[in-house]
Amino acid sequence: MAEIESRGTPTLTDKLQDWFNRRLPFFWHNWFSAAGSVLVVTVSSLMLLLFGLYIYNLILARESNPYVDLIAFLILPGFLVLGVLLLIIGRAVRRARERKYGPQPSAVQIGGATLVRKAAVVSIVAFLFLLGIGLFSYEAYHFTDSTEFCAHVCHTVMAPEATTYTDSPHTNVPCVSCHIGTGASWYVRAKISGIRQVFAVLTDSYSRPIPSPVENLRPARETCEVCHWPTKFHGSKLVVRKHYEPDRDNTETVTANVLHVGGPDSPGGGAVGIHWHVDRANQVRYRHLDRERRDIVEVVQRTAAGEIRYLKDGADPDSTVGTWRVMDCLDCHNRPTHVFVLPEAAVDMALANGRLDSSVPFLRRESVRVLREVPPDADTAARLSESLRAIYQNEHPEDLPALLAVIESTAAELAQILDRNVFPDMGITWGPYTSNLSHFDADGELGTGGCFRCHSDEHISEAGDEISQDCEKCHALLAWQEPDWEGLAGVGAEAFLRR
Ligand code: HEC
Ligand code: HEC
Ligand code: HEC
Ligand code: HEC
Ligand code: HEC
């Protein structure tokens, strides 16, 4: 470079400048390439550092800080790409100049005090820049993790889940505690699938209703078990429910059931009862043919002595069609939060709590009927009230006055039930989201769903054993829809003991 040579004995900065010009024309030729190279060098060294930290945490099996990982894996790579783009633009600019004016000197001159000044400016700019990214991404991370964001940004789409969530035992548990859990990799996965979902909303191409079960939901071990310790012994739990017959008197009956929830930490050692499945010593896995995991054709129970394989009656023993899944909390508690209730159960609850008046003849039957017939809209209560009045006028004219006395509160209560459980915009009428925590059909008969997907006389081991359908194994039924139940005084204490 003639310029430098003409200055006589080269100084250290001259040498440095010469070196830059010769060695790094690509990286240091004009302000584009200069900015690009600062970005590439700072960002890649930061990434290396954070990646080292990530590996270190991985080796020590420590929970890494999701915020740090987010920067390392999501934000910084973006800036690395930006740096490389700047380098490419810088090179193109230089090429264009060279074609026009011949060989170009470096645009970035290094010399004495200006070098220090420039270095200082560059570092301050780089620092402010990274600080900006940091603060922005921290806020973005927290915002996109908030229940507010999950529940309300796509209001219509999330309305059914957000509504049922607000009215559930987990209403103070943030959506992300169950849907994402801790750690960066699940965060990133969730956000990537979130981007796809935003696209589906923008293009109006999402499924209605949203399919359940959620595929690739994080294993319960890493979400539910953060709060619910599986080795806690739950013992037995008495559940008493009132049901009402669809007759003139809305005849009240009582079902009292002692559930053997049990668990691993039983006094006698070993696991007993319903929570036997989630004891660390046991594993149950199953193969299902359908997306909903209802059609279970093979179940394998791991025991200390080996594995027991139960095959569904008529299933081909050599077939491998379907999907395997290891059973966890969600195979029973699939609706711990988004609990949708059928009209029969909802009306029973309202009658039991006195929110509906059980002295109004036929109220159980006709309430369920209008709930099933009237779709919710802006005037749900008015339309329910109209329908009820018409039914009583035509079919029970002698009971109309009793209804009219309470028609307003009745319609309001039914409207609330309807608005809580039915979301036509999302394709949710009564019953697409059913619970696995029991074994009844929608019509109240012993069915084939829930526990009975496996506990049926159709799942048989090589030794000829069934997966037990013995009522007493799961619960002690003290009363089953009894109109005149005497209460607990009428049952001996032994009914509460397991098996
Ligand atoms: C206590 C844990 C928990 C919390 C808290 C929670 N969910 Fe869920 N959510 C689940 C489970 C479990 C499923 C069903 C998964 C399955 O069956 O595979 C689910 C399913 C869903 C589905 C799929 C459709 C459906 O109903 O099955 C959506 C959408 C959803 N949740 C959104 C949310 C939103 C939004 C929030 C916060 C307002 C939230 N969830 C809070 C556990 C939770
Ligand atoms: C962030 C903590 C947290 C997480 C995560 C969590 N829960 Fe809970 N869970 C709670 C709290 C708090 C309650 C309410 C306890 C109460 O009111 O007595 C609860 C209650 C329950 C109950 C009893 C409900 C009832 O009707 O009384 C069940 C069952 C349950 N959770 C299952 C689950 C399952 C399954 C998951 C995973 C999908 C889960 N929980 C995730 C904190 C959590
Ligand atoms: C085989 C089915 C099944 C599995 C698997 C299962 N549960 Fe349960 N669980 C039940 C049933 C049934 C009940 C009692 C239901 C009720 O309260 O009405 C129950 C009750 C509970 C309760 C409430 C206990 C109480 O005393 O009120 C909690 C909390 C709970 N389960 C959490 C979990 C967690 C966490 C897991 C996973 C580690 C899990 N369950 C796995 C079936 C299951
Ligand atoms: C994916 C299949 C599957 C599902 C679903 C399932 N179980 Fe089981 N369960 C098994 C297998 C396998 C065994 C072990 C064989 C046996 O005891 O008959 C078992 C055993 C049990 C036992 C006996 C545990 C002991 O003390 O030996 C109880 C109680 C039980 N299950 C309750 C339930 C309840 C309640 C539900 C529904 C909420 C349920 N199970 C759902 C597969 C399943
Ligand atoms: C594999 C375990 C299991 C077996 C076997 C089983 N049940 Fe159940 N049963 C349950 C669970 C879980 C529930 C739901 C608990 C609840 O009410 O939340 C339940 C609830 C019930 C209820 C109460 C419904 C209500 O309205 O509250 C009745 C009645 C019942 N079972 C009858 C039977 C009969 C009869 C048998 C024998 C043919 C039987 N069950 C076998 C697990 C079982």
Side-chain angles (χ1 to χ4, degrees), residues 227-235 261-266 272 275-276 278-279:
C227 296
H228 299 285
W229 196 232
T231 56
K232 179 182 178 299
F233 182 63
H234 286 277
V261 182
D265 193 18
S266 71
V272 291
H275 278 181
W276 165 90
V278 284
D279 180 29

Side-chain angles (χ1 to χ4, degrees), residues 260 271-274 276-277 284 286 296 299 301 310 327 331-332 436-438 450-451 453-455 466-468 473-474 499:
H260 303 315
V272 291
I274 298 170
W276 165 90
H277 303 78
V284 175
Y286 63 89
I296 293 177
V299 180
Q301 172 194 357
Y310 302 87
M327 201 174 165
D331 290 290
C332 301
N436 285 335
L437 212 54
S438 188
C451 313
R453 290 173 300 160
C454 296
H455 289 268
E466 298 165 2
I467 302 180
S468 172
K473 221 172 181 181
C474 298
R499 277 185 230 129

Side-chain angles (χ1 to χ4, degrees), residues 169-170 173 177-178 223-224 227-228 237 329-330 333 336:
H170 290 107
V173 175
S177 297
C178 296
T223 53
C224 317
C227 296
H228 299 285
K237 180 177 172 182
C329 320
L330 295 183
H333 297 281

Side-chain angles (χ1 to χ4, degrees), residues 154-175:
C154 300
H155 180 76
T156 314
V157 186
M158 282 303 121
E161 279 72 29
T163 306
T164 45
Y165 161 86
T166 312
D167 178 28
S168 86
H170 290 107
T171 191
N172 276 340
V173 175
C175 318

